Amino acid sequence: MRGGLQVVNPASEAVIAELELAAPEEVDLAIGRAAAAWPAWREVAPGDRARLLRRFAEAVDQDRDQLARLEVDNAGHTIRNARAEAGNVRDVLLYYSAAPERLLGHQIPVGGGVDLTFREPLGVVGVIVPWNFPMAIAGWGMAPALAAGNTVVLKPAGLTPLTALRLGELARVAGLPAGTLEVVVGTGAEAGWRLVTHPAVRKICFTGSTEVGKRVMAGCAEQVKRVTLELGGKSANIVFADADVEGAAAAAPSAVFDNAGQDCCARSRILVQASVFERFMAGLEPAVRRIRVGDPGQEATEMGPLISAAHRARVAAYLGAGTPVAFRGAAPEGPGFWLPPTVLAPVAPDAPAFQEEIFGPVVTVVPFRDEADAVRIANDTPYGLSGSIWTRDIGRALRVARAVQSGNLSVNSNSSVRYWTPFGGFKQSGIGRELGPDALEAFTDVKNVFIATDG
Ligand code: NAD
Protein backbone atom coordinates (compact mmCIF):
# COMPACT_ATOMS: atom_id res chain seq x y z
CA MET A 1 0.00 0.00 0.00
CA ARG A 2 1.40 3.38 -1.04
CA GLY A 3 1.53 6.17 1.51
CA GLY A 4 -1.08 8.88 1.49
CA LEU A 5 -0.36 12.49 0.64
CA GLN A 6 -1.43 15.28 2.95
CA VAL A 7 -1.95 18.53 1.09
CA VAL A 8 -1.21 21.51 3.33
CA ASN A 9 -2.27 25.17 3.18
CA PRO A 10 1.06 26.99 3.56
CA ALA A 11 -0.58 30.09 5.07
CA SER A 12 -2.32 28.19 7.90
CA GLU A 13 -0.51 24.83 8.00
CA ALA A 14 -3.95 23.16 7.92
CA VAL A 15 -4.33 19.88 6.02
CA ILE A 16 -6.76 20.66 3.20
CA ALA A 17 -6.84 17.33 1.35
CA GLU A 18 -5.62 13.77 1.67
CA LEU A 19 -4.82 11.91 -1.52
CA GLU A 20 -3.37 8.57 -2.53
CA LEU A 21 0.02 8.69 -4.23
CA ALA A 22 0.04 6.83 -7.52
CA ALA A 23 2.25 3.73 -7.55
CA PRO A 24 4.38 3.15 -10.67
CA GLU A 25 1.82 0.56 -11.87
CA GLU A 26 -0.91 3.19 -11.69
CA VAL A 27 1.26 5.59 -13.65
CA ASP A 28 1.66 2.84 -16.24
CA LEU A 29 -2.12 2.53 -16.43
CA ALA A 30 -2.49 6.28 -16.98
CA ILE A 31 0.19 6.17 -19.68
CA GLY A 32 -1.65 3.21 -21.22
CA ARG A 33 -4.90 5.17 -21.32
CA ALA A 34 -3.16 8.16 -22.91
CA ALA A 35 -1.46 5.88 -25.46
CA ALA A 36 -4.79 4.23 -26.28
CA ALA A 37 -6.45 7.63 -26.74
CA TRP A 38 -3.73 8.96 -29.04
CA PRO A 39 -4.64 7.41 -32.43
CA ALA A 40 -8.17 8.80 -32.25
CA TRP A 41 -7.05 12.19 -30.89
CA ARG A 42 -4.51 12.77 -33.64
CA GLU A 43 -7.21 11.97 -36.20
CA VAL A 44 -9.70 14.50 -34.81
CA ALA A 45 -10.15 17.01 -37.62
CA PRO A 46 -8.19 20.23 -36.98
CA GLY A 47 -11.32 22.36 -36.68
CA ASP A 48 -12.85 19.94 -34.17
CA ARG A 49 -9.69 19.73 -32.10
CA ALA A 50 -9.63 23.53 -32.09
CA ARG A 51 -13.26 23.63 -30.95
CA LEU A 52 -12.61 21.18 -28.12
CA LEU A 53 -9.67 23.27 -26.88
CA ARG A 54 -11.84 26.39 -26.99
CA ARG A 55 -14.45 24.55 -24.93
CA PHE A 56 -11.74 23.55 -22.47
CA ALA A 57 -10.72 27.21 -22.24
CA GLU A 58 -14.34 28.16 -21.62
CA ALA A 59 -14.68 25.55 -18.85
CA VAL A 60 -11.53 26.95 -17.22
CA ASP A 61 -12.92 30.47 -17.51
CA GLN A 62 -16.19 29.49 -15.86
CA ASP A 63 -14.26 27.80 -13.07
CA ARG A 64 -11.82 30.69 -12.61
CA ASP A 65 -12.90 31.57 -9.07
CA GLN A 66 -12.66 28.00 -7.84
CA LEU A 67 -9.31 27.40 -9.54
CA ALA A 68 -7.98 30.63 -8.06
CA ARG A 69 -9.25 29.70 -4.60
CA LEU A 70 -7.54 26.28 -4.85
CA GLU A 71 -4.24 27.94 -5.77
CA VAL A 72 -4.54 30.38 -2.85
CA ASP A 73 -5.23 27.53 -0.42
CA ASN A 74 -2.74 25.04 -1.81
CA ALA A 75 0.16 27.20 -3.01
CA GLY A 76 -0.25 30.37 -0.94
CA HIS A 77 -0.59 32.52 -4.05
CA THR A 78 -2.21 35.88 -3.55
CA ILE A 79 -5.79 35.89 -4.76
CA ARG A 80 -5.02 38.52 -7.40
CA ASN A 81 -2.15 36.44 -8.81
CA ALA A 82 -4.19 33.24 -8.63
CA ARG A 83 -7.04 34.78 -10.64
CA ALA A 84 -4.57 35.96 -13.24
CA GLU A 85 -3.04 32.47 -13.38
CA ALA A 86 -6.44 30.85 -13.98
CA GLY A 87 -6.98 33.43 -16.70
CA ASN A 88 -3.56 32.53 -18.08
CA VAL A 89 -4.55 28.85 -18.40
CA ARG A 90 -7.65 29.95 -20.30
CA ASP A 91 -5.64 32.28 -22.54
CA VAL A 92 -2.96 29.69 -23.28
CA LEU A 93 -5.65 27.16 -24.24
CA LEU A 94 -7.32 29.75 -26.47
CA TYR A 95 -4.02 30.76 -28.05
CA TYR A 96 -3.13 27.16 -28.92
CA SER A 97 -6.68 26.35 -29.97
CA ALA A 98 -5.76 28.28 -33.11
CA ALA A 99 -2.86 25.91 -33.78
CA PRO A 100 -4.47 22.72 -35.13
CA GLU A 101 -5.64 24.62 -38.21
CA ARG A 102 -2.27 26.31 -38.66
CA LEU A 103 0.25 23.48 -38.21
CA LEU A 104 1.68 24.19 -41.62
CA GLY A 105 4.30 22.20 -43.47
CA HIS A 106 6.35 23.13 -46.53
CA GLN A 107 6.25 22.23 -50.16
CA ILE A 108 9.88 22.16 -51.27
CA PRO A 109 10.97 22.31 -54.92
CA VAL A 110 12.60 19.04 -56.04
CA GLY A 111 13.29 17.32 -59.36
CA GLY A 112 11.05 14.45 -60.53
CA GLY A 113 8.31 14.90 -58.01
CA VAL A 114 6.79 16.80 -55.13
CA ASP A 115 8.27 17.19 -51.67
CA LEU A 116 6.08 17.88 -48.66
CA THR A 117 6.75 18.24 -44.96
CA PHE A 118 4.29 17.44 -42.18
CA ARG A 119 4.41 18.41 -38.52
CA GLU A 120 3.54 15.10 -36.88
CA PRO A 121 2.50 14.72 -33.24
CA LEU A 122 4.80 12.65 -31.05
CA GLY A 123 2.38 10.50 -29.06
CA VAL A 124 2.08 10.61 -25.27
CA VAL A 125 3.72 13.64 -23.68
CA GLY A 126 4.63 13.67 -19.98
CA VAL A 127 4.24 17.14 -18.47
CA ILE A 128 6.07 17.40 -15.12
CA VAL A 129 5.24 20.53 -13.15
CA PRO A 130 6.86 22.21 -10.10
CA TRP A 131 5.04 23.58 -7.06
CA ASN A 132 5.69 27.27 -7.61
CA PHE A 133 3.19 27.94 -10.44
CA PRO A 134 1.21 24.69 -10.48
CA MET A 135 -1.71 25.84 -12.59
CA ALA A 136 -0.04 28.15 -15.09
CA ILE A 137 2.86 25.81 -15.88
CA ALA A 138 0.47 22.87 -16.35
CA GLY A 139 -1.28 25.00 -18.97
CA TRP A 140 1.96 25.95 -20.73
CA GLY A 141 2.79 22.28 -21.23
CA MET A 142 -0.56 20.67 -21.92
CA ALA A 143 -2.12 23.27 -24.23
CA PRO A 144 0.42 23.16 -27.09
CA ALA A 145 0.91 19.41 -26.60
CA LEU A 146 -2.81 18.72 -27.04
CA ALA A 147 -3.16 21.23 -29.87
CA ALA A 148 -0.39 19.51 -31.82
CA GLY A 149 -2.26 16.21 -31.57
CA ASN A 150 -0.52 14.55 -28.62
CA THR A 151 -2.14 13.10 -25.53
CA VAL A 152 -0.83 14.19 -22.14
CA VAL A 153 -0.03 12.69 -18.76
CA LEU A 154 0.27 15.60 -16.36
CA LYS A 155 2.20 15.14 -13.12
CA PRO A 156 1.90 17.99 -10.65
CA ALA A 157 4.33 18.44 -7.75
CA GLY A 158 3.32 16.50 -4.65
CA LEU A 159 2.98 19.71 -2.65
CA THR A 160 0.50 21.28 -5.06
CA PRO A 161 -1.71 18.77 -6.90
CA LEU A 162 -5.15 20.37 -6.49
CA THR A 163 -5.42 22.67 -9.51
CA ALA A 164 -3.99 20.00 -11.83
CA LEU A 165 -6.66 17.57 -10.66
CA ARG A 166 -9.32 20.21 -11.26
CA LEU A 167 -7.96 20.92 -14.75
CA GLY A 168 -8.23 17.19 -15.51
CA GLU A 169 -11.90 17.30 -14.49
CA LEU A 170 -12.54 20.41 -16.57
CA ALA A 171 -11.04 18.74 -19.64
CA ARG A 172 -13.67 16.02 -19.31
CA VAL A 173 -16.43 18.57 -18.69
CA ALA A 174 -15.36 20.27 -21.93
CA GLY A 175 -15.69 17.01 -23.83
CA LEU A 176 -12.05 16.05 -24.40
CA PRO A 177 -12.05 12.28 -24.97
CA ALA A 178 -11.09 10.03 -22.05
CA GLY A 179 -7.34 9.48 -21.90
CA THR A 180 -6.50 12.69 -23.75
CA LEU A 181 -5.42 14.38 -20.52
CA GLU A 182 -4.51 12.10 -17.62
CA VAL A 183 -3.43 13.55 -14.27
CA VAL A 184 -1.29 11.46 -11.91
CA VAL A 185 -0.42 12.54 -8.39
CA GLY A 186 2.76 10.85 -7.27
CA THR A 187 6.30 11.48 -6.13
CA GLY A 188 8.98 12.69 -8.51
CA ALA A 189 11.19 9.71 -7.85
CA GLU A 190 8.43 7.23 -8.70
CA ALA A 191 5.69 8.77 -10.84
CA GLY A 192 7.87 11.45 -12.46
CA TRP A 193 10.67 9.01 -13.17
CA ARG A 194 8.22 6.48 -14.61
CA LEU A 195 7.18 9.07 -17.19
CA VAL A 196 10.84 9.58 -18.06
CA THR A 197 11.57 5.87 -18.43
CA HIS A 198 8.33 4.54 -19.91
CA PRO A 199 8.87 3.82 -23.62
CA ALA A 200 5.34 4.86 -24.62
CA VAL A 201 6.01 8.40 -23.39
CA ARG A 202 7.62 10.11 -26.35
CA LYS A 203 8.42 13.47 -24.85
CA ILE A 204 8.97 15.03 -21.45
CA CYS A 205 8.13 18.64 -20.85
CA PHE A 206 9.80 19.29 -17.50
CA THR A 207 9.76 22.40 -15.36
CA GLY A 208 11.65 22.33 -12.10
CA SER A 209 15.08 22.56 -10.57
CA THR A 210 18.26 22.36 -12.62
CA GLU A 211 19.42 19.46 -10.46
CA VAL A 212 16.40 17.26 -11.25
CA GLY A 213 16.28 18.55 -14.83
CA LYS A 214 19.77 17.14 -15.48
CA ARG A 215 18.62 13.73 -14.24
CA VAL A 216 15.49 13.91 -16.38
CA MET A 217 17.57 14.81 -19.43
CA ALA A 218 19.94 11.89 -18.81
CA GLY A 219 16.96 9.55 -18.39
CA CYS A 220 15.41 10.79 -21.64
CA ALA A 221 18.71 10.25 -23.44
CA GLU A 222 18.38 6.49 -22.88
CA GLN A 223 15.47 6.44 -25.33
CA VAL A 224 16.40 9.55 -27.31
CA LYS A 225 13.18 10.90 -25.86
CA ARG A 226 12.40 14.50 -26.75
CA VAL A 227 12.74 16.79 -23.77
CA THR A 228 12.05 20.41 -22.96
CA LEU A 229 13.57 21.73 -19.75
CA GLU A 230 12.53 24.91 -17.95
CA LEU A 231 14.88 25.11 -14.98
CA GLY A 232 16.22 27.48 -12.37
CA GLY A 233 17.39 31.06 -12.61
CA LYS A 234 19.43 33.74 -10.88
CA SER A 235 18.45 36.71 -12.95
CA ALA A 236 19.96 40.18 -12.87
CA ASN A 237 18.11 43.46 -12.62
CA ILE A 238 20.63 45.96 -14.03
CA VAL A 239 20.14 49.62 -13.20
CA PHE A 240 22.28 52.16 -15.04
CA ALA A 241 22.92 55.66 -13.72
CA ASP A 242 21.09 57.20 -16.69
CA ALA A 243 17.85 55.31 -15.87
CA ASP A 244 14.77 56.43 -14.00
CA VAL A 245 16.52 55.23 -10.83
CA GLU A 246 13.55 55.92 -8.54
CA GLY A 247 11.22 54.09 -10.93
CA ALA A 248 13.57 51.12 -11.10
CA ALA A 249 13.83 51.02 -7.30
CA ALA A 250 10.06 51.19 -6.84
CA ALA A 251 9.56 48.35 -9.33
CA ALA A 252 12.37 46.10 -8.05
CA PRO A 253 10.53 44.50 -5.08
CA SER A 254 7.74 42.95 -7.11
CA ALA A 255 10.33 41.66 -9.62
CA VAL A 256 11.82 39.47 -6.91
CA PHE A 257 9.29 39.15 -4.09
CA ASP A 258 6.25 38.28 -6.18
CA ASN A 259 5.12 34.75 -5.23
CA ALA A 260 7.43 35.15 -2.20
CA GLY A 261 10.44 34.94 -4.51
CA GLN A 262 9.46 31.42 -5.60
CA ASP A 263 9.69 32.40 -9.21
CA CYS A 264 12.22 31.07 -11.72
CA CYS A 265 12.31 34.58 -13.26
CA ALA A 266 12.90 36.37 -9.94
CA ARG A 267 15.39 39.21 -10.39
CA SER A 268 17.27 38.11 -7.29
CA ARG A 269 20.51 39.93 -8.13
CA ILE A 270 20.15 43.68 -8.42
CA LEU A 271 23.17 45.33 -10.07
CA VAL A 272 23.29 49.09 -9.63
CA GLN A 273 25.79 51.49 -11.18
CA ALA A 274 28.02 52.66 -8.32
CA SER A 275 27.34 56.38 -8.86
CA VAL A 276 23.59 55.92 -8.09
CA PHE A 277 23.85 53.06 -5.58
CA GLU A 278 22.81 55.13 -2.54
CA ARG A 279 19.96 56.78 -4.46
CA PHE A 280 18.68 53.38 -5.55
CA MET A 281 18.84 51.92 -2.03
CA ALA A 282 17.02 54.99 -0.67
CA GLY A 283 14.17 54.26 -3.09
CA LEU A 284 14.22 50.50 -2.55
CA GLU A 285 13.92 50.57 1.25
CA PRO A 286 10.47 52.18 1.57
CA ALA A 287 9.20 50.05 -1.33
CA VAL A 288 10.28 46.86 0.47
CA ARG A 289 8.90 47.97 3.83
CA ARG A 290 5.56 48.79 2.18
CA ILE A 291 4.98 45.26 0.78
CA ARG A 292 1.80 43.83 2.28
CA VAL A 293 2.70 40.31 3.44
CA GLY A 294 -0.09 38.18 4.88
CA ASP A 295 -3.25 36.19 4.26
CA PRO A 296 -3.06 35.44 0.52
CA GLY A 297 -6.85 35.26 0.31
CA GLN A 298 -7.17 39.01 1.06
CA GLU A 299 -7.47 41.28 -1.98
CA ALA A 300 -4.84 43.73 -0.71
CA THR A 301 -2.14 41.14 0.01
CA GLU A 302 0.98 41.38 -2.14
CA MET A 303 3.05 38.49 -0.79
CA GLY A 304 2.03 35.20 0.79
CA PRO A 305 3.94 32.45 2.60
CA LEU A 306 6.60 30.08 1.34
CA ILE A 307 5.39 26.70 0.17
CA SER A 308 6.50 24.52 3.11
CA ALA A 309 8.39 24.43 6.38
CA ALA A 310 11.26 22.55 4.70
CA HIS A 311 11.53 25.15 1.94
CA ARG A 312 11.43 28.02 4.44
CA ALA A 313 14.29 26.37 6.34
CA ARG A 314 16.29 26.09 3.08
CA VAL A 315 15.78 29.77 2.35
CA ALA A 316 16.46 30.84 5.94
CA ALA A 317 19.81 29.02 5.76
CA TYR A 318 21.00 31.92 3.56
CA LEU A 319 20.19 34.35 6.38
CA GLY A 320 22.35 33.00 9.19
CA ALA A 321 24.46 35.03 11.63
CA GLY A 322 26.72 37.52 9.89
CA THR A 323 24.49 37.86 6.83
CA PRO A 324 24.60 41.50 5.69
CA VAL A 325 20.90 42.39 5.92
CA ALA A 326 20.40 45.94 4.64
CA PHE A 327 16.68 45.99 5.48
CA ARG A 328 13.62 43.80 5.72
CA GLY A 329 9.91 44.02 5.19
CA ALA A 330 7.24 42.56 7.43
CA ALA A 331 5.82 39.06 7.91
CA PRO A 332 2.97 37.75 10.06
CA GLU A 333 3.52 35.81 13.29
CA GLY A 334 1.84 32.50 14.03
CA PRO A 335 1.05 29.53 11.81
CA GLY A 336 2.16 29.59 8.17
CA PHE A 337 5.56 29.40 6.49
CA TRP A 338 6.35 33.11 6.58
CA LEU A 339 9.55 34.93 5.85
CA PRO A 340 9.85 38.71 5.40
CA PRO A 341 11.16 40.17 2.15
CA THR A 342 14.86 40.64 2.82
CA VAL A 343 17.50 42.76 1.09
CA LEU A 344 21.17 41.79 1.41
CA ALA A 345 23.93 44.35 0.80
CA PRO A 346 26.85 44.62 0.52
CA VAL A 347 27.36 41.07 -0.75
CA ALA A 348 30.59 39.54 -2.03
CA PRO A 349 30.28 38.28 -5.61
CA ASP A 350 31.26 34.76 -4.51
CA ALA A 351 28.77 34.62 -1.62
CA PRO A 352 26.29 31.72 -1.93
CA ALA A 353 23.40 34.19 -1.65
CA PHE A 354 24.70 35.96 -4.77
CA GLN A 355 25.50 32.77 -6.69
CA GLU A 356 22.73 30.28 -5.86
CA GLU A 357 19.04 30.26 -6.68
CA ILE A 358 17.51 30.91 -3.26
CA PHE A 359 13.90 30.67 -4.49
CA GLY A 360 12.61 32.78 -1.62
CA PRO A 361 12.11 36.44 -0.70
CA VAL A 362 15.79 37.34 -0.56
CA VAL A 363 17.53 39.73 -2.92
CA THR A 364 21.18 40.76 -3.15
CA VAL A 365 22.26 44.21 -4.34
CA VAL A 366 25.76 44.92 -5.70
CA PRO A 367 27.35 47.94 -7.37
CA PHE A 368 29.01 47.87 -10.81
CA ARG A 369 31.42 50.30 -12.50
CA ASP A 370 30.40 50.47 -16.14
CA GLU A 371 28.53 48.62 -18.89
CA ALA A 372 31.21 45.97 -19.37
CA ASP A 373 31.33 45.32 -15.63
CA ALA A 374 27.52 44.98 -15.49
CA VAL A 375 27.47 42.47 -18.34
CA ARG A 376 30.35 40.50 -16.81
CA ILE A 377 28.59 40.22 -13.42
CA ALA A 378 25.21 39.43 -15.00
CA ASN A 379 26.76 36.58 -17.01
CA ASP A 380 28.81 35.18 -14.14
CA THR A 381 26.27 32.45 -13.35
CA PRO A 382 25.43 29.04 -14.76
CA TYR A 383 21.85 30.26 -15.22
CA GLY A 384 20.33 32.41 -17.97
CA LEU A 385 16.57 32.70 -17.70
CA SER A 386 15.45 36.31 -17.48
CA GLY A 387 16.57 39.78 -16.43
CA SER A 388 15.91 43.49 -16.67
CA ILE A 389 17.87 46.47 -17.96
CA TRP A 390 17.05 50.00 -16.81
CA THR A 391 18.50 52.80 -18.94
CA ARG A 392 17.32 55.74 -21.04
CA ASP A 393 19.99 55.09 -23.66
CA ILE A 394 18.41 52.99 -26.41
CA GLY A 395 21.79 51.94 -27.81
CA ARG A 396 22.92 50.72 -24.42
CA ALA A 397 19.61 48.94 -23.85
CA LEU A 398 20.04 46.96 -27.04
CA ARG A 399 23.77 46.32 -26.54
CA VAL A 400 23.23 44.98 -23.04
CA ALA A 401 20.13 43.01 -24.02
CA ARG A 402 22.20 41.28 -26.70
CA ALA A 403 25.18 40.72 -24.38
CA VAL A 404 23.36 39.22 -21.38
CA GLN A 405 23.17 35.45 -21.89
CA SER A 406 19.56 34.95 -20.98
CA GLY A 407 16.37 33.86 -22.71
CA ASN A 408 13.98 36.63 -21.63
CA LEU A 409 14.99 40.21 -21.06
CA SER A 410 12.98 43.33 -20.46
CA VAL A 411 14.06 46.94 -20.81
CA ASN A 412 12.65 49.51 -18.37
CA SER A 413 10.24 46.80 -17.25
CA ASN A 414 10.32 43.60 -15.23
CA SER A 415 7.74 41.77 -17.22
CA SER A 416 9.10 38.76 -19.08
CA VAL A 417 6.23 36.35 -19.61
CA ARG A 418 3.48 36.70 -22.18
CA TYR A 419 1.68 33.64 -23.46
CA TRP A 420 2.19 34.68 -27.09
CA THR A 421 5.95 35.28 -26.87
CA PRO A 422 8.60 32.56 -26.42
CA PHE A 423 9.84 31.75 -22.95
CA GLY A 424 12.84 29.67 -21.89
CA GLY A 425 16.39 29.60 -20.69
CA PHE A 426 19.95 29.88 -21.89
CA LYS A 427 22.75 27.82 -20.30
CA GLN A 428 21.62 25.73 -17.32
CA SER A 429 18.22 27.44 -17.18
CA GLY A 430 16.90 25.05 -19.76
CA ILE A 431 16.51 23.76 -23.28
CA GLY A 432 13.70 24.57 -25.69
CA ARG A 433 11.03 27.22 -25.60
CA GLU A 434 7.53 27.31 -24.21
CA LEU A 435 4.67 29.65 -25.10
CA GLY A 436 4.37 31.71 -28.25
CA PRO A 437 4.67 30.24 -31.72
CA ASP A 438 7.88 28.31 -30.91
CA ALA A 439 6.38 25.89 -28.38
CA LEU A 440 4.51 23.90 -31.00
CA GLU A 441 7.76 22.83 -32.61
CA ALA A 442 8.72 21.08 -29.40
CA PHE A 443 5.58 18.91 -29.59
CA THR A 444 5.94 17.74 -33.18
CA ASP A 445 8.51 16.03 -35.37
CA VAL A 446 8.97 17.06 -38.98
CA LYS A 447 8.27 14.37 -41.55
CA ASN A 448 9.46 14.73 -45.12
CA VAL A 449 7.57 12.96 -47.92
CA PHE A 450 8.79 12.79 -51.51
CA ILE A 451 6.28 11.79 -54.16
CA ALA A 452 7.66 10.81 -57.56
CA THR A 453 5.67 12.26 -60.44
CA ASP A 454 7.79 10.97 -63.31
CA GLY A 455 6.01 8.26 -65.30
P1 NAD B 1 11.83 19.91 -8.54
O1 NAD B 1 12.87 19.79 -9.59
O2 NAD B 1 12.12 19.41 -7.19
O3 NAD B 1 10.48 19.20 -9.00
C1 NAD B 1 9.82 19.52 -10.20
C2 NAD B 1 8.91 18.37 -10.60
O4 NAD B 1 9.73 17.24 -10.92
C3 NAD B 1 7.96 17.90 -9.50
O5 NAD B 1 6.73 17.51 -10.10
C4 NAD B 1 8.68 16.68 -8.95
O6 NAD B 1 7.80 15.75 -8.35
C5 NAD B 1 9.32 16.10 -10.20
N1 NAD B 1 10.47 15.25 -9.97
C6 NAD B 1 11.32 15.25 -8.92
N2 NAD B 1 12.26 14.30 -9.07
C7 NAD B 1 12.02 13.70 -10.26
C8 NAD B 1 12.64 12.65 -10.98
N3 NAD B 1 13.71 12.01 -10.52
N4 NAD B 1 12.11 12.29 -12.18
C9 NAD B 1 11.04 12.92 -12.69
N5 NAD B 1 10.40 13.92 -12.03
C10 NAD B 1 10.88 14.31 -10.84
O7 NAD B 1 11.46 21.47 -8.54
P2 NAD B 1 10.47 22.24 -7.55
O8 NAD B 1 11.16 22.35 -6.24
O9 NAD B 1 9.10 21.65 -7.63
O10 NAD B 1 10.38 23.68 -8.28
C11 NAD B 1 11.30 24.68 -8.08
C12 NAD B 1 12.29 24.77 -9.22
O11 NAD B 1 11.60 24.90 -10.46
C13 NAD B 1 13.18 25.99 -9.15
O12 NAD B 1 14.51 25.64 -9.43
C14 NAD B 1 12.64 26.91 -10.24
O13 NAD B 1 13.56 27.83 -10.75
C15 NAD B 1 12.19 25.93 -11.25
N6 NAD B 1 11.21 26.54 -12.15
C16 NAD B 1 11.58 26.86 -13.44
C17 NAD B 1 10.68 27.48 -14.30
C18 NAD B 1 11.05 27.83 -15.71
O14 NAD B 1 10.15 28.01 -16.51
N7 NAD B 1 12.32 27.91 -16.06
C19 NAD B 1 9.39 27.78 -13.87
C20 NAD B 1 9.06 27.45 -12.55
C21 NAD B 1 9.98 26.81 -11.71
Side-chain angles (χ1 to χ4, degrees):
M1 180 74 187
R2 198 126 312 255
L5 174 70
Q6 291 199 323
V7 182
V8 172
N9 179 330
S12 67
E13 302 184 35
V15 174
I16 53 172
E18 304 211 31
L19 304 170
E20 282 299 307
L21 284 168
E25 310 82 68
E26 290 162 294
V27 181
D28 285 359
L29 290 174
I31 295 169
R33 289 191 293 273
W38 182 52
W41 179 244
R42 66 174 298 187
E43 293 305 327
V44 172
D48 293 335
R49 207 182 314 139
R51 224 180 328 275
L52 282 165
L53 289 172
R54 285 197 291 272
R55 273 199 218 141
F56 190 5
E58 200 181 301
V60 168
D61 193 48
Q62 287 183 356
D63 204 58
R64 226 154 73 93
D65 286 343
Q66 167 158 359
L67 282 166
R69 201 34 76 180
L70 282 175
E71 208 73 321
V72 171
D73 291 347
N74 189 182
H77 288 201
T78 63
I79 182 69
R80 280 186 298 170
N81 279 2
R83 274 196 213 109
E85 289 152 13
N88 180 262
V89 177
R90 173 204 58 212
D91 291 342
V92 171
L93 281 164
L94 277 178
Y95 178 78
Y96 287 109
S97 75
E101 295 138 320
R102 294 168 177 80
L103 266 181
L104 306 179
H106 297 295
Q107 177 267 311
I108 301 173
V110 288
V114 176
D115 195 277
L116 302 171
T117 66
F118 296 88
R119 301 273 295 273
E120 301 284 15
L122 304 169
V124 179
V125 172
V127 177
I128 302 177
V129 174
W131 49 256
N132 63 327
F133 289 108
M135 173 162 50
I137 290 175
W140 297 6
M142 72 182 179
L146 292 169
N150 305 281
T151 54
V152 170
V153 180
L154 172 64
K155 196 206 86 62
L159 287 166
T160 54
L162 299 187
T163 45
L165 288 168
R166 184 69 189 138
L167 289 172
E169 289 167 7
L170 293 171
R172 297 301 298 277
V173 168
L176 266 75
T180 311
L181 175 63
E182 290 281 325
V183 181
V184 290
V185 176
T187 66
E190 283 193 336
W193 190 244
R194 192 65 194 132
L195 289 173
V196 172
T197 54
H198 196 298
V201 177
R202 295 294 163 77
K203 185 209 160 87
I204 294 290
C205 177
F206 173 88
T207 305
S209 60
T210 295
E211 185 195 346
V212 175
K214 287 177 186 174
R215 252 179 283 152
V216 166
M217 189 174 183
C220 286
E222 287 291 313
Q223 297 166 13
V224 197
K225 189 170 290 194
R226 277 81 182 121
V227 62
T228 307
L229 301 174
E230 295 288 357
L231 309 175
K234 188 73 183 176
S235 298
N237 188 354
I238 309 172
V239 183
F240 286 96
D242 66 13
D244 169 6
V245 174
E246 281 66 34
S254 61
V256 60
F257 300 133
D258 193 54
N259 207 29
Q262 304 164 119
D263 183 339
C264 52
C265 288
R267 275 71 165 163
S268 54
R269 296 182 302 155
I270 306 179
L271 319 184
V272 185
Q273 196 150 19
S275 57
V276 293
F277 193 85
E278 296 309 324
R279 236 175 92 199
F280 180 86
M281 292 300 268
L284 183 63
E285 179 163 1
V288 170
R289 294 199 191 279
R290 260 199 311 270
I291 299 172
R292 288 182 293 253
V293 183
D295 178 356
Q298 298 290 320
E299 291 291 335
T301 300
E302 293 170 311
M303 189 182 120
L306 295 183
I307 192 67
S308 67
H311 186 58
R312 180 177 57 183
R314 259 194 308 273
V315 175
Y318 288 93
L319 303 173
T323 307
V325 174
F327 40 85
R328 280 197 166 101
E333 306 276 331
F337 310 123
W338 304 101
L339 208 62
T342 304
V343 178
L344 304 185
V347 185
D350 59 352
F354 192 69
Q355 291 291 333
E356 296 168 16
E357 182 185 46
I358 300 178
F359 222 55
V362 180
V363 69
T364 49
V365 194
V366 299
F368 66 84
R369 278 190 314 276
D370 54 19
E371 194 176 308
D373 198 31
V375 170
R376 181 189 59 76
I377 299 172
N379 285 338
D380 184 19
T381 166
Y383 296 113
L385 190 56
S386 73
S388 301
I389 300 151
W390 295 80
T391 174
R392 288 192 171 103
D393 178 335
I394 181 83
R396 163 173 287 155
L398 283 169
R399 272 195 313 274
V400 176
R402 296 298 300 274
V404 173
Q405 295 157 357
S406 168
N408 306 270
L409 289 157
S410 22
V411 174
N412 297 328
S413 156
N414 295 312
S415 132
S416 46
V417 185
R418 274 164 221 85
Y419 61 83
W420 63 98
T421 59
F423 176 74
F426 278 31
K427 302 197 283 187
Q428 293 191 30
S429 286
I431 284 189
R433 290 294 174 271
E434 295 198 293
L435 302 176
D438 300 66
L440 284 166
E441 275 174 32
F443 294 102
T444 55
D445 265 342
V446 174
K447 179 180 287 174
N448 191 71
V449 177
F450 170 74
I451 307 163
T453 52
D454 289 352

